[in-house]
Amino acid sequence: MPAVPPQQTHSNGSPGGAPTPAPPPEPRRTAFAEGVDRLRAAATTEPGRLRIIGAFLAALVVAFGAVTAWQMTDRAAAADDVLNKSQPLSSAAADIYRSLADANTTASSNFLAGGQETAESRDRYEKDIDRAAAGLVKAAANSDPGSAAAATVAELNRLLPQYKGYVERARTNNRQGFPVGGAWLRFANETMQNDMLPAAEDLYKKENQRLRADYADATPYPWAAIGLGVLALAALAWAQHRNYQRTNRLMNHGLVAATATATVVLLWLVVGHSVARAGLNDSYDHGVRSLNVLHDARIASLKARGNENLTLVARGAETKTVKDAKGEEVTVDSYDYDFDTDMKNLGKGLAQAAKLADDGSGKQPVTAAEGNMAVWKERHAAAREQDEFGNYEEALKRVIGPKGATGECFDSVDDNLAKALAHEEAEFEQAAGDGKGAMTGLPVGAAVLAVLGAAGAVLGIGRRLSEYR
């Protein structure tokens, strides 16, 4: 039997001399996958589990402190804006309205006085204009560029010198005995009533919206921080229970310290914010609401006084058609009709202010203003009666005379409302200041205590790890 020659092999060992392809290299693993494997391997040992628990506890406590600091910083800033920015600006906007309305009222009174215009009355008009201008400068400085409030301020700044020019023309013609003076004054009044006061009222409303927005930012509970605090305490309690089960030791000093700091932060957060919230809510309920009502009442009294004066300036030149109690159309003096409307608004405002007043010091000036308003209405009715009988000079005396005139009642109403506003302003500042003060130090304190708590958790776990070395 012939011998079988040996099979030829390739240098790579494959039969027949054909090269065998090299196996493909294993794919290179990512660092993340290797990390997961190491973490999984570590989790199977007690030291590895302890390291994971320590890192988790430290991160959770630090996150609790960071979220607390962040949320309370935002709320403290909003509370500071309520106290030092938005509410003062709201009051400043109301003062702009009040100064413009009082300037218009004083201008009409001076016009009626003619040559008997006093230096005090003229000075009052100039001071009203100056206060309005100063208020507009302040409002412009605190308005965001391009905002609706900034546009309103710019419009008022444009109209104010025009209005002054109209008043001066009316004053000059009136002192010279020209009838056209009355037309100029009515034109000035129309500019004020139709353009300037609506713009000032719009600015006041915008500042009130900003104030409400600041309250909305300052008062909500920081639920994210509270939730993290509860979670951190639960995790720390679980870690200590686990430690007790494995070592039969009641306390781990590091974990106890971490629990104590987290508890302090959570209590400080809940109690501090609750006190701040109560103070801010009180400042709104017993401060801002009363201030808004009193500002509206003061504006109504100023409008009423201006219309009362213009009734005598126009002398029936301005009329409107309205329906009487029977539903029949009648023609009435426009300014006298508006006076009655303003007095009704004043009465409603004073009644509401009396209900909102929470002490005698706040209610007394409001009650006095109600009495002044009642006398004012009686004197106004007597003046109107004289005017309708053709006794213009007597009617004029009963409106702007030195004694027993409606002007005395208006001044008394305005003075009493100013006292009520000052009282409510003080109450607002006290309550809002208490609310803001309750949050003082909380953001920084929470951050510092959270770092200490995290360090305690790490040290506590480290103490356990040392037992395995």
Side-chain angles (χ1 to χ4, degrees), residues 57-58 60-61 231-241 254-263 453 457:
L57 291 176
L60 188 57
V61 173
L231 182 61
L233 287 177
L236 287 166
W238 170 81
Q240 291 175 85
H241 179 69
L255 293 178
V256 169
T259 303
T261 55
T263 301

Side-chain angles (χ1 to χ4, degrees), residues 344-367:
K344 290 176 182 176
N345 292 335
L346 174 60
K348 292 177 182 178
L350 291 176
Q352 189 174 359
K355 291 180 180 179
L356 290 173
D358 54 355
D359 58 20
S361 298
K363 192 169 185 177
Q364 186 276 327
V366 176
T367 302

Side-chain angles (χ1 to χ4, degrees), residues 18-82:
T20 302
E26 293 184 4
R28 189 172 182 179
R29 305 193 66 207
T30 64
F32 175 76
E34 292 177 355
V36 170
D37 285 346
R38 284 196 296 269
L39 188 62
R40 187 183 295 114
T44 61
T45 65
E46 182 61 14
R49 285 191 287 267
L50 286 173
R51 290 188 181 94
I52 295 172
I53 292 171
F56 174 73
L57 291 176
L60 188 57
V61 173
V62 168
F64 170 43
V67 173
T68 299
W70 162 54
Q71 289 197 307
M72 294 313 297
T73 296
D74 286 349
R75 282 157 177 75
D80 184 72
D81 285 344
V82 165

Side-chain angles (χ1 to χ4, degrees), residues 8-318:
Q8 296 293 324
T9 61
H10 195 264
S11 60
N12 60 9
S14 61
T20 302
E26 293 184 4
R28 189 172 182 179
R29 305 193 66 207
T30 64
F32 175 76
E34 292 177 355
V36 170
D37 285 346
R38 284 196 296 269
L39 188 62
R40 187 183 295 114
T44 61
T45 65
E46 182 61 14
R49 285 191 287 267
L50 286 173
R51 290 188 181 94
I52 295 172
I53 292 171
F56 174 73
L57 291 176
L60 188 57
V61 173
V62 168
F64 170 43
V67 173
T68 299
W70 162 54
Q71 289 197 307
M72 294 313 297
T73 296
D74 286 349
R75 282 157 177 75
D80 184 72
D81 285 344
V82 165
L83 180 61
N84 298 313
K85 189 175 181 181
S86 51
Q87 197 285 323
L89 286 175
S90 175
S91 291
D95 286 340
I96 291 173
Y97 191 110
R98 186 258 171 198
S99 297
L100 292 174
D102 192 63
N104 196 49
T105 296
T106 306
S108 61
S109 295
N110 292 344
F111 184 90
L112 288 173
Q116 303 300 317
E117 175 187 354
T118 63
E120 292 80 8
S121 181
R122 181 66 183 176
D123 185 61
R124 176 173 175 170
Y125 166 79
E126 294 293 346
K127 286 182 176 179
D128 282 333
I129 294 294
D130 291 342
R131 276 195 295 267
L136 289 172
V137 170
K138 182 179 179 181
N142 288 279
S143 299
D144 296 328
S147 65
T152 301
V153 171
E155 178 67 8
L156 284 170
N157 275 321
R158 182 185 69 82
L159 290 171
L160 186 60
Q162 291 184 11
Y163 171 80
K164 285 187 65 179
Y166 299 150
V167 171
E168 289 307 312
R169 288 187 180 94
R171 182 170 179 263
T172 300
N173 282 280
N174 188 45
R175 292 175 72 88
Q176 294 176 359
F178 298 152
V180 73
W184 276 113
L185 186 66
R186 290 195 298 274
F187 190 51
N189 178 71
E190 288 173 2
T191 301
M192 178 66 74
Q193 297 290 346
N194 298 334
D195 299 324
M196 298 179 71
L197 290 183
E201 185 176 9
D202 183 60
L203 179 63
Y204 175 54
K205 289 179 179 178
K206 285 183 172 64
E207 295 301 342
N208 269 343
Q209 290 173 356
R210 185 194 299 192
L211 175 60
R212 287 192 293 271
D214 286 337
Y215 268 107
D217 291 338
T219 54
Y221 273 107
W223 292 115
I226 293 173
L228 276 174
V230 172
L231 182 61
L233 287 177
L236 287 166
W238 170 81
Q240 291 175 85
H241 179 69
R242 183 182 185 279
N243 182 66
Y244 170 73
Q245 285 183 321
R246 282 161 174 73
T247 65
N248 206 30
R249 295 170 186 166
L250 290 176
M251 287 194 303
N252 178 294
H253 295 295
L255 293 178
V256 169
T259 303
T261 55
T263 301
V264 169
V265 173
L266 184 58
L267 288 175
W268 190 1
L269 172 64
V270 173
V271 175
H273 187 269
S274 295
V275 172
R277 179 187 173 95
L280 289 169
N281 285 338
D282 185 62
S283 72
Y284 186 85
D285 292 336
H286 301 291
V288 173
R289 289 180 62 199
S290 294
L291 287 170
N292 288 341
V293 170
L294 289 168
H295 281 309
D296 291 342
R298 202 176 192 189
I299 287 168
S301 72
L302 286 162
K303 285 183 174 180
R305 180 59 178 172
N307 284 317
E308 182 178 48
N309 289 340
L310 287 166
T311 301
L312 294 177
V313 172
R315 303 186 72 174
E318 299 288 339

Side-chain angles (χ1 to χ4, degrees), residues 316-378:
E318 299 288 339
T319 61
K320 65 170 62 175
T321 302
V322 298
K323 291 184 178 181
D324 60 12
K326 298 179 180 179
E328 298 178 355
E329 291 188 349
V330 294
T331 301
V332 297
D333 184 285
S334 295
Y335 296 120
D336 193 48
Y337 180 85
D338 290 341
F339 169 85
D340 290 337
T341 302
D342 295 331
M343 292 298 280
K344 290 176 182 176
N345 292 335
L346 174 60
K348 292 177 182 178
L350 291 176
Q352 189 174 359
K355 291 180 180 179
L356 290 173
D358 54 355
D359 58 20
S361 298
K363 192 169 185 177
Q364 186 276 327
V366 176
T367 302
E370 288 179 314
N372 301 143
M373 183 190 70
V375 177
W376 184 0
K377 292 171 71 175
E378 292 175 0

